[in-house]
Amino acid sequence: MTPEPGEKPRRFSFWMIFGPLLVLISGLLWKRRTRDDPPTLPSQVRQEQTEQSPEPPPPVKRGRVGRWIEDRTGLLGLLDQAKQHRAPAKSRWAYVFGSATLFAFLLLVVTGFGLALVYQPDSTTAFGSLQAIDAHPLWRTLRGLHYFGASLMVVMIGLHMIRVYLFASYKYPREVSWLTGVALLFLTLAMAFTGQVLRWDQNGLWSVVVGAEQAARAPLVGKGLARFLLGGDTVNGGTVSHIFALHTFWFPGLLFALIGLHLFLAFKNGVSEPPVAGKLVNPDTYKAEYETLLRTDGVLFWPTAAWRDVLFSSLLVLLVAGLAYWLGPPAVTVPPDPSIVQADPKPDWYLTWYFTVLALWPYGITNAMLIAAPLMAVVALIAVPFIRNRGERHPARRPWAVGIVLSVVCTIAALTVVGNREPWLPRFEAQSLPESVVATTNGSVRLGAALFHSRSCEACHQISGYGGLRGPDLTAVGSRLSRGELAWRIQNGAPSMPPYAGNLSTDELNHILDFLQSRQKK
């Protein structure tokens, strides 16, 4: 409902919307009857329990409606089997990330259904529909839930794969579970990228253009990939609807199928038990050992094992809801305009590290690395369960696995920090060098300092902490290069620097050279 003139827009209370979820969490904790650690039993009783299989659970009592549904579909029986599935008793908080990924995906599905009611997947109206969404408090919160939910899914699937790798849960008989997880990881990133494009502003437009240009560099299939991404040879009226179809139909459909297969394999092969140092995986005996473990030290999946998953995921949903309510979704900037080429498209934070890699690669190897680097990453991930599917699982006995995880995480974090600084971009907003930096009364040097700023040299080169980071630091360049070397570089340029021959008069060149030669090492 549109507020009357002069009337403040109605705000939806955070507790009104998300209070029931808090009640659910409190009830779950209050009603949980089974504790993590069973009471201590006499040794004789423990021995008898060890030798005997657990008694089958009593039959489930159903009402008339439940009996009718079960008789005709069998769905309630399948649900009962899932709840009665047994899991290792010690699989605790480290195992919650997989369920949290599923919760995040379901949150995206629900919020995506809502946004699809008001979003217009058309190149001419998408931007306006996003503005209309942001103008309404409820729709704006829903869009914020979708945005932060995407971040949550990326983070949780990353943590889940790290846990699986560190615990070597990909080993026999769970190799296929790892492969489906790898496919889910890349589909999640594809969903994230297409979702960013659907924020159809100047950043979204140029994001898909840059993505298509990168795809086009692939040998043999490059042009086909670029055409598939754009929905044509160039950005056109159908590009947004094409991306919308990928984001809302194709990718979610594949995700649903792979998640179903992943869950089926989890119930078929069981949840991997926590690793024990010195206990090796032997494909010839593992399944029998695992069944014995479930009989002697197993617990019901619901509620004994799953309550942590529900609690952790519910708290994360509350966190996402708070961020969506108070911070809101990223603002759409300006309407998309392909004729404005002075654009600086930036990916969402979880893809910034890859954006940084592309920006920092030497130009001569960019085409090769655009194909080789992702291909090597995919091959490495797929090869993990086939290189060593038996043997030790405990991280303390596999220090190289811990080292790989730490190296990857630290590298991605460092590249993300660098990507946020964007040192490869000229800083055209850089201010003139202050008097304390020029530090001379020489007229020619002072004129050179002014030309250094007006000719945009300062946009790429830093002097005493002022200026851009794209080119080399020239704070002490007079101590490194002679006047002739400086003149040659200025006039002929470099791979990332335009030549200034013909653009500078002889007097201007001499003033700049006088200024640069005055930059001496202290």
Side-chain angles (χ1 to χ4, degrees), residues 280-453:
L280 308 182
V281 173
N282 184 350
D284 296 330
T285 59
Y286 178 80
K287 287 190 175 182
E289 294 171 352
Y290 185 77
E291 291 297 328
T292 302
L293 174 67
L294 293 184
R295 287 196 303 269
T296 59
D297 195 28
V299 295
L300 291 178
F301 175 74
W302 180 263
T304 310
W307 73 266
R308 295 181 189 83
D309 302 76
V310 175
L311 174 61
F312 181 73
S313 300
S314 300
L315 292 175
L316 288 178
V317 171
L318 282 177
L319 174 63
V320 168
L323 293 173
Y325 184 79
W326 282 298
L327 299 182
V332 290
T333 54
V334 294
D337 187 351
S339 65
I340 302 177
V341 297
Q342 289 82 13
D344 178 23
K346 298 178 181 178
D348 287 333
W349 68 269
Y350 39 78
L351 292 176
T352 300
W353 66 273
Y354 184 65
F355 178 71
T356 305
V357 171
L358 296 179
L360 295 181
W361 266 331
Y363 183 79
I365 65 170
T366 299
N367 289 350
M369 293 305 295
L370 279 173
I371 305 304
L375 183 61
M376 287 188 295
V378 172
V379 171
L381 289 172
I382 291 177
V384 164
F386 300 104
I387 294 175
R388 185 70 173 171
N389 73 334
R390 61 174 66 214
E392 187 66 61
R393 290 184 56 215
H394 199 277
R397 301 291 181 91
R398 299 164 53 244
W400 51 268
V402 178
I404 289 175
V405 169
L406 290 177
S407 299
V408 171
V409 171
C410 291
T411 300
I412 290 177
L415 290 173
T416 301
V417 172
V418 174
N420 288 325
R421 295 175 58 199
E422 295 184 305
W424 52 85
L425 292 181
R427 296 286 188 258
F428 294 109
E429 73 280 3
Q431 301 298 315
S432 300
L433 295 175
E435 290 289 336
S436 60
V437 174
V438 179
T440 184
T441 57
N442 185 295
S444 180
V445 172
R446 295 178 67 85
L447 286 173
L451 287 168
F452 187 80
H453 173 74

Side-chain angles (χ1 to χ4, degrees), residues 249-288:
F249 297 109
W250 287 93
F251 292 157
L254 292 172
L255 280 168
F256 269 116
L258 284 172
I259 288 173
L261 176 59
H262 200 74
L263 292 176
F264 167 77
L265 292 171
F267 281 103
K268 180 182 183 299
N269 297 317
V271 177
S272 63
E273 72 280 12
V276 177
K279 185 177 181 181
L280 308 182
V281 173
N282 184 350
D284 296 330
T285 59
Y286 178 80
K287 287 190 175 182

Side-chain angles (χ1 to χ4, degrees), residues 91-153:
S91 52
R92 299 181 179 177
W93 291 105
Y95 287 72
V96 299
F97 302 118
S99 299
T101 304
L102 178 60
F103 268 66
F105 175 66
L106 295 177
L107 176 65
L108 291 176
V109 170
V110 173
T111 55
F113 278 143
L115 291 173
L117 296 175
V118 289
Y119 180 78
Q120 299 177 19
D122 182 86
S123 297
T124 58
T125 58
F127 183 82
S129 68
L130 285 168
Q131 288 183 314
I133 289 172
D134 287 348
H136 194 287
L138 181 59
W139 291 116
R140 180 177 181 273
T141 301
L142 191 67
R143 183 169 164 251
L145 282 168
H146 199 72
Y147 170 75
F148 288 107
S151 297
L152 175 65
M153 186 172 178

Side-chain angles (χ1 to χ4, degrees), residues 21-263:
L21 191 55
L22 284 172
V23 175
L24 171 64
I25 297 173
S26 302
L28 179 65
L29 292 174
W30 181 261
K31 292 185 177 181
R32 184 172 60 88
R33 297 187 179 93
T34 306
R35 299 295 180 185
D36 295 340
D37 300 318
T40 305
L41 299 175
S43 59
Q44 181 178 357
V45 176
R46 289 202 305 268
Q47 183 178 359
E48 291 176 357
Q49 290 185 348
T50 301
E51 295 174 354
Q52 296 176 0
S53 299
E55 296 181 0
V60 179
K61 295 182 180 180
R62 310 187 197 279
R64 293 183 61 184
V65 176
R67 290 196 301 271
W68 188 91
I69 294 175
E70 174 60 19
D71 183 55
R72 286 154 179 80
T73 66
L75 294 178
L76 298 181
L78 292 175
L79 183 60
D80 292 336
Q81 291 180 21
K83 292 193 298 183
Q84 295 163 5
H85 183 79
R86 301 185 72 81
K90 295 181 180 179
S91 52
R92 299 181 179 177
W93 291 105
Y95 287 72
V96 299
F97 302 118
S99 299
T101 304
L102 178 60
F103 268 66
F105 175 66
L106 295 177
L107 176 65
L108 291 176
V109 170
V110 173
T111 55
F113 278 143
L115 291 173
L117 296 175
V118 289
Y119 180 78
Q120 299 177 19
D122 182 86
S123 297
T124 58
T125 58
F127 183 82
S129 68
L130 285 168
Q131 288 183 314
I133 289 172
D134 287 348
H136 194 287
L138 181 59
W139 291 116
R140 180 177 181 273
T141 301
L142 191 67
R143 183 169 164 251
L145 282 168
H146 199 72
Y147 170 75
F148 288 107
S151 297
L152 175 65
M153 186 172 178
V154 172
V155 172
M156 289 300 109
I157 197 171
L159 292 175
H160 180 56
M161 293 199 72
I162 289 174
R163 198 279 302 167
V164 171
Y165 183 70
L166 286 178
F167 283 15
S169 299
Y170 56 82
K171 295 192 175 185
Y172 179 88
R174 301 179 182 88
E175 297 94 334
V176 181
S177 295
W178 171 267
L179 297 179
T180 57
V182 171
L184 286 169
L185 172 65
F186 286 103
L187 274 175
T188 299
L189 296 177
M191 282 276 291
F193 174 74
T194 53
Q196 175 184 340
V197 173
L198 291 178
R199 298 198 296 269
W200 194 241
D201 53 6
Q202 192 73 346
N203 188 69
L205 166 68
W206 286 102
S207 293
V208 71
V209 170
V210 172
E213 288 179 349
Q214 294 175 4
R217 297 179 183 181
L220 302 178
V221 298
K223 292 184 178 180
L225 288 175
R227 192 176 296 112
F228 173 77
L229 185 60
L230 295 174
D233 292 329
T234 60
V235 175
N236 56 78
T239 298
V240 173
S241 58
H242 178 74
I243 297 294
F244 183 79
L246 292 175
H247 185 75
T248 58
F249 297 109
W250 287 93
F251 292 157
L254 292 172
L255 280 168
F256 269 116
L258 284 172
I259 288 173
L261 176 59
H262 200 74
L263 292 176

Side-chain angles (χ1 to χ4, degrees), residues 450-459 500 503-505 508 512:
L451 287 168
F452 187 80
H453 173 74
S454 63
R455 291 292 185 167
S456 298
C457 305
E458 192 181 347
Y500 281 83
N503 294 321
L504 292 173
S505 66
E508 288 176 328
I512 293 176

